[in-house]
Amino acid sequence: MVMLAHEDVYARIVDELGAYLERELALALGDCLRVGGSLSSALCEADLWGVRRQSWPPNCAVGIASDEPYSGVFLGVRAPNPTGKGVVASDEQGCPERARIDRAARRVSGGRRTQWWPWWQSAEPAYWGNEFAARLVLGSPTGKVADNPDAQDLARRLVELAEAIDQELKEAAA
């Protein structure tokens, strides 16, 4: 049965991770809005899953994305540079406060930047297929995704990024 339903099992486990991350971000930030659908569908479609506050500039979010379905998974702050060539050439709008978001991203160590992402870092592992979902459960001391140390570290990193944005915007408003 598990072999026949592996896609459903995968989606449930990864969406449990998404729900856990969303809860942790909501606890740290208070109010936040989800960007994108479920985490499993975002990974399948190589799209963004994340959260944002209403008080953040338009087109700014903290989240997880992938370069290809389930592969090249990374996390970061997505705030497209409105003057970036690729952003201008696309149908997407940029983040009007990109300079502030760049300053916020500098508060967090590590990471790289592109015209789309002022801060991003590869997730470990970079491939989030069935083996990843199995490790979330098997690597947890209780069998719950939320108790997996890797899931907790991922939540901590996303919260750190969101708090850096909040801090920069708060200082800019003062």
mmCIF file of all heavy atoms in Angstrom, residues 34-62:
data_model
loop_
_atom_site.group_PDB
_atom_site.id
_atom_site.type_symbol
_atom_site.label_atom_id
_atom_site.label_comp_id
_atom_site.label_asym_id
_atom_site.label_seq_id
_atom_site.Cartn_x
_atom_site.Cartn_y
_atom_site.Cartn_z
ATOM 1 N N ARG A 34 0.365 33.391 4.035
ATOM 2 C CA ARG A 34 1.092 32.397 3.247
ATOM 3 C C ARG A 34 1.191 32.866 1.803
ATOM 4 O O ARG A 34 0.257 33.421 1.247
ATOM 5 C CB ARG A 34 0.407 31.044 3.286
ATOM 6 C CG ARG A 34 1.252 30.013 2.560
ATOM 7 C CD ARG A 34 0.678 28.657 2.365
ATOM 8 N NE ARG A 34 -0.118 28.169 3.452
ATOM 9 C CZ ARG A 34 -0.957 27.153 3.307
ATOM 10 N NH1 ARG A 34 -1.105 26.568 2.158
ATOM 11 N NH2 ARG A 34 -1.658 26.741 4.337
ATOM 12 N N VAL A 35 2.338 32.606 1.208
ATOM 13 C CA VAL A 35 2.569 32.889 -0.203
ATOM 14 C C VAL A 35 2.669 31.542 -0.906
ATOM 15 O O VAL A 35 3.467 30.702 -0.515
ATOM 16 C CB VAL A 35 3.877 33.684 -0.403
ATOM 17 C CG1 VAL A 35 4.164 33.893 -1.869
ATOM 18 C CG2 VAL A 35 3.817 35.005 0.345
ATOM 19 N N GLY A 36 1.859 31.331 -1.903
ATOM 20 C CA GLY A 36 1.855 30.058 -2.616
ATOM 21 C C GLY A 36 0.906 29.074 -1.970
ATOM 22 O O GLY A 36 0.279 29.351 -0.948
ATOM 23 N N GLY A 37 0.796 27.923 -2.570
ATOM 24 C CA GLY A 37 -0.077 26.874 -2.057
ATOM 25 C C GLY A 37 0.629 26.048 -1.003
ATOM 26 O O GLY A 37 1.387 26.561 -0.179
ATOM 27 N N SER A 38 0.441 24.747 -1.076
ATOM 28 C CA SER A 38 1.085 23.858 -0.122
ATOM 29 C C SER A 38 2.571 23.733 -0.458
ATOM 30 O O SER A 38 3.002 23.982 -1.587
ATOM 31 C CB SER A 38 0.426 22.480 -0.155
ATOM 32 O OG SER A 38 0.702 21.839 -1.392
ATOM 33 N N LEU A 39 3.348 23.341 0.523
ATOM 34 C CA LEU A 39 4.779 23.172 0.313
ATOM 35 C C LEU A 39 5.038 22.081 -0.714
ATOM 36 O O LEU A 39 5.892 22.237 -1.593
ATOM 37 C CB LEU A 39 5.493 22.872 1.636
ATOM 38 C CG LEU A 39 7.011 22.677 1.576
ATOM 39 C CD1 LEU A 39 7.699 23.879 0.931
ATOM 40 C CD2 LEU A 39 7.569 22.431 2.969
ATOM 41 N N SER A 40 4.306 20.975 -0.650
ATOM 42 C CA SER A 40 4.547 19.884 -1.603
ATOM 43 C C SER A 40 4.229 20.311 -3.033
ATOM 44 O O SER A 40 4.973 19.981 -3.958
ATOM 45 C CB SER A 40 3.758 18.627 -1.221
ATOM 46 O OG SER A 40 2.369 18.866 -1.271
ATOM 47 N N SER A 41 3.167 21.081 -3.238
ATOM 48 C CA SER A 41 2.857 21.521 -4.603
ATOM 49 C C SER A 41 3.872 22.550 -5.087
ATOM 50 O O SER A 41 4.238 22.561 -6.263
ATOM 51 C CB SER A 41 1.429 22.066 -4.699
ATOM 52 O OG SER A 41 1.297 23.240 -3.937
ATOM 53 N N ALA A 42 4.367 23.411 -4.190
ATOM 54 C CA ALA A 42 5.388 24.382 -4.582
ATOM 55 C C ALA A 42 6.664 23.663 -5.017
ATOM 56 O O ALA A 42 7.287 24.050 -6.015
ATOM 57 C CB ALA A 42 5.680 25.340 -3.434
ATOM 58 N N LEU A 43 7.054 22.615 -4.308
ATOM 59 C CA LEU A 43 8.255 21.871 -4.678
ATOM 60 C C LEU A 43 8.058 21.123 -5.988
ATOM 61 O O LEU A 43 8.962 21.063 -6.821
ATOM 62 C CB LEU A 43 8.636 20.891 -3.570
ATOM 63 C CG LEU A 43 9.132 21.519 -2.280
ATOM 64 C CD1 LEU A 43 9.266 20.464 -1.196
ATOM 65 C CD2 LEU A 43 10.448 22.242 -2.492
ATOM 66 N N CYS A 44 6.882 20.584 -6.184
ATOM 67 C CA CYS A 44 6.569 19.853 -7.406
ATOM 68 C C CYS A 44 6.614 20.781 -8.622
ATOM 69 O O CYS A 44 7.071 20.404 -9.689
ATOM 70 C CB CYS A 44 5.190 19.210 -7.269
ATOM 71 S SG CYS A 44 4.578 18.423 -8.762
ATOM 72 N N GLU A 45 6.153 22.002 -8.443
ATOM 73 C CA GLU A 45 6.056 22.952 -9.546
ATOM 74 C C GLU A 45 7.249 23.910 -9.596
ATOM 75 O O GLU A 45 7.258 24.843 -10.401
ATOM 76 C CB GLU A 45 4.762 23.743 -9.416
ATOM 77 C CG GLU A 45 3.532 22.866 -9.522
ATOM 78 C CD GLU A 45 2.259 23.548 -9.043
ATOM 79 O OE1 GLU A 45 2.294 24.776 -8.813
ATOM 80 O OE2 GLU A 45 1.254 22.843 -8.913
ATOM 81 N N ALA A 46 8.250 23.685 -8.758
ATOM 82 C CA ALA A 46 9.420 24.567 -8.673
ATOM 83 C C ALA A 46 8.965 26.013 -8.506
ATOM 84 O O ALA A 46 9.339 26.905 -9.248
ATOM 85 C CB ALA A 46 10.334 24.408 -9.891
ATOM 86 N N ASP A 47 8.114 26.221 -7.511
ATOM 87 C CA ASP A 47 7.538 27.530 -7.231
ATOM 88 C C ASP A 47 7.900 27.941 -5.813
ATOM 89 O O ASP A 47 8.522 27.186 -5.072
ATOM 90 C CB ASP A 47 6.010 27.442 -7.393
ATOM 91 C CG ASP A 47 5.361 28.783 -7.632
ATOM 92 O OD1 ASP A 47 6.092 29.790 -7.746
ATOM 93 O OD2 ASP A 47 4.122 28.831 -7.708
ATOM 94 N N LEU A 48 7.482 29.124 -5.411
ATOM 95 C CA LEU A 48 7.773 29.639 -4.074
ATOM 96 C C LEU A 48 6.692 29.230 -3.082
ATOM 97 O O LEU A 48 5.504 29.325 -3.376
ATOM 98 C CB LEU A 48 7.863 31.172 -4.115
ATOM 99 C CG LEU A 48 7.934 31.898 -2.771
ATOM 100 C CD1 LEU A 48 9.261 31.621 -2.081
ATOM 101 C CD2 LEU A 48 7.737 33.390 -2.962
ATOM 102 N N TRP A 49 7.123 28.789 -1.906
ATOM 103 C CA TRP A 49 6.245 28.630 -0.748
ATOM 104 C C TRP A 49 6.861 29.503 0.331
ATOM 105 O O TRP A 49 8.067 29.468 0.560
ATOM 106 C CB TRP A 49 6.207 27.186 -0.258
ATOM 107 C CG TRP A 49 5.438 27.055 1.021
ATOM 108 C CD1 TRP A 49 4.122 26.745 1.138
ATOM 109 C CD2 TRP A 49 5.925 27.258 2.366
ATOM 110 N NE1 TRP A 49 3.753 26.744 2.460
ATOM 111 C CE2 TRP A 49 4.842 27.075 3.240
ATOM 112 C CE3 TRP A 49 7.146 27.609 2.899
ATOM 113 C CZ2 TRP A 49 4.961 27.199 4.618
ATOM 114 C CZ3 TRP A 49 7.264 27.743 4.269
ATOM 115 C CH2 TRP A 49 6.176 27.529 5.109
ATOM 116 N N GLY A 50 6.035 30.302 0.983
ATOM 117 C CA GLY A 50 6.578 31.133 2.039
ATOM 118 C C GLY A 50 5.519 31.923 2.765
ATOM 119 O O GLY A 50 4.330 31.641 2.650
ATOM 120 N N VAL A 51 5.982 32.905 3.505
ATOM 121 C CA VAL A 51 5.093 33.786 4.256
ATOM 122 C C VAL A 51 5.570 35.223 4.108
ATOM 123 O O VAL A 51 6.719 35.483 3.760
ATOM 124 C CB VAL A 51 5.019 33.419 5.762
ATOM 125 C CG1 VAL A 51 4.463 32.022 5.974
ATOM 126 C CG2 VAL A 51 6.361 33.584 6.431
ATOM 127 N N ARG A 52 4.647 36.130 4.383
ATOM 128 C CA ARG A 52 4.962 37.550 4.390
ATOM 129 C C ARG A 52 4.018 38.235 5.357
ATOM 130 O O ARG A 52 2.952 37.732 5.651
ATOM 131 C CB ARG A 52 4.853 38.152 2.995
ATOM 132 C CG ARG A 52 3.447 38.201 2.430
ATOM 133 C CD ARG A 52 3.372 38.841 1.053
ATOM 134 N NE ARG A 52 4.094 40.063 0.907
ATOM 135 C CZ ARG A 52 3.660 41.267 1.292
ATOM 136 N NH1 ARG A 52 2.471 41.392 1.825
ATOM 137 N NH2 ARG A 52 4.403 42.332 1.140
ATOM 138 N N ARG A 53 4.444 39.361 5.833
ATOM 139 C CA ARG A 53 3.580 40.212 6.649
ATOM 140 C C ARG A 53 2.900 41.213 5.722
ATOM 141 O O ARG A 53 3.468 41.612 4.717
ATOM 142 C CB ARG A 53 4.404 41.004 7.654
ATOM 143 C CG ARG A 53 4.860 40.267 8.864
ATOM 144 C CD ARG A 53 5.662 41.279 9.699
ATOM 145 N NE ARG A 53 6.039 40.822 10.971
ATOM 146 C CZ ARG A 53 5.291 40.938 12.065
ATOM 147 N NH1 ARG A 53 4.114 41.482 12.010
ATOM 148 N NH2 ARG A 53 5.730 40.508 13.221
ATOM 149 N N GLN A 54 1.717 41.654 6.111
ATOM 150 C CA GLN A 54 1.056 42.692 5.329
ATOM 151 C C GLN A 54 1.841 43.993 5.371
ATOM 152 O O GLN A 54 1.798 44.776 4.434
ATOM 153 C CB GLN A 54 -0.360 42.931 5.834
ATOM 154 C CG GLN A 54 -1.352 41.933 5.283
ATOM 155 C CD GLN A 54 -2.773 42.312 5.635
ATOM 156 O OE1 GLN A 54 -3.076 42.539 6.796
ATOM 157 N NE2 GLN A 54 -3.615 42.386 4.634
ATOM 158 N N SER A 55 2.577 44.224 6.453
ATOM 159 C CA SER A 55 3.342 45.464 6.595
ATOM 160 C C SER A 55 4.638 45.471 5.773
ATOM 161 O O SER A 55 5.273 46.504 5.647
ATOM 162 C CB SER A 55 3.670 45.708 8.069
ATOM 163 O OG SER A 55 4.463 44.652 8.579
ATOM 164 N N TRP A 56 5.022 44.325 5.228
ATOM 165 C CA TRP A 56 6.225 44.277 4.411
ATOM 166 C C TRP A 56 5.944 44.898 3.044
ATOM 167 O O TRP A 56 4.797 44.947 2.595
ATOM 168 C CB TRP A 56 6.689 42.846 4.226
ATOM 169 C CG TRP A 56 7.303 42.224 5.446
ATOM 170 C CD1 TRP A 56 7.516 42.798 6.658
ATOM 171 C CD2 TRP A 56 7.765 40.882 5.561
ATOM 172 N NE1 TRP A 56 8.095 41.901 7.518
ATOM 173 C CE2 TRP A 56 8.248 40.713 6.870
ATOM 174 C CE3 TRP A 56 7.809 39.811 4.698
ATOM 175 C CZ2 TRP A 56 8.791 39.520 7.318
ATOM 176 C CZ3 TRP A 56 8.343 38.619 5.136
ATOM 177 C CH2 TRP A 56 8.837 38.470 6.445
ATOM 178 N N PRO A 57 6.977 45.329 2.357
ATOM 179 C CA PRO A 57 6.783 45.897 1.026
ATOM 180 C C PRO A 57 6.166 44.861 0.075
ATOM 181 O O PRO A 57 6.343 43.654 0.281
ATOM 182 C CB PRO A 57 8.196 46.259 0.570
ATOM 183 C CG PRO A 57 9.049 46.203 1.769
ATOM 184 C CD PRO A 57 8.381 45.325 2.757
ATOM 185 N N PRO A 58 5.489 45.317 -0.953
ATOM 186 C CA PRO A 58 4.936 44.376 -1.935
ATOM 187 C C PRO A 58 6.026 43.489 -2.541
ATOM 188 O O PRO A 58 7.168 43.928 -2.709
ATOM 189 C CB PRO A 58 4.325 45.284 -3.010
ATOM 190 C CG PRO A 58 4.115 46.593 -2.334
ATOM 191 C CD PRO A 58 5.176 46.706 -1.269
ATOM 192 N N ASN A 59 5.673 42.258 -2.822
ATOM 193 C CA ASN A 59 6.555 41.287 -3.474
ATOM 194 C C ASN A 59 7.763 40.896 -2.631
ATOM 195 O O ASN A 59 8.805 40.513 -3.159
ATOM 196 C CB ASN A 59 7.016 41.793 -4.845
ATOM 197 C CG ASN A 59 5.847 42.065 -5.749
ATOM 198 O OD1 ASN A 59 4.918 41.279 -5.809
ATOM 199 N ND2 ASN A 59 5.870 43.193 -6.429
ATOM 200 N N CYS A 60 7.632 40.972 -1.323
ATOM 201 C CA CYS A 60 8.686 40.545 -0.406
ATOM 202 C C CYS A 60 8.143 39.390 0.436
ATOM 203 O O CYS A 60 7.069 39.507 1.029
ATOM 204 C CB CYS A 60 9.102 41.703 0.496
ATOM 205 S SG CYS A 60 10.323 41.236 1.756
ATOM 206 N N ALA A 61 8.863 38.275 0.442
ATOM 207 C CA ALA A 61 8.444 37.104 1.212
ATOM 208 C C ALA A 61 9.672 36.325 1.665
ATOM 209 O O ALA A 61 10.738 36.405 1.062
ATOM 210 C CB ALA A 61 7.546 36.207 0.370
ATOM 211 N N VAL A 62 9.505 35.565 2.727
ATOM 212 C CA VAL A 62 10.510 34.629 3.216
ATOM 213 C C VAL A 62 9.980 33.246 2.899
ATOM 214 O O VAL A 62 8.813 32.960 3.171
ATOM 215 C CB VAL A 62 10.707 34.784 4.745
ATOM 216 C CG1 VAL A 62 11.539 33.660 5.298
ATOM 217 C CG2 VAL A 62 11.320 36.124 5.065
#
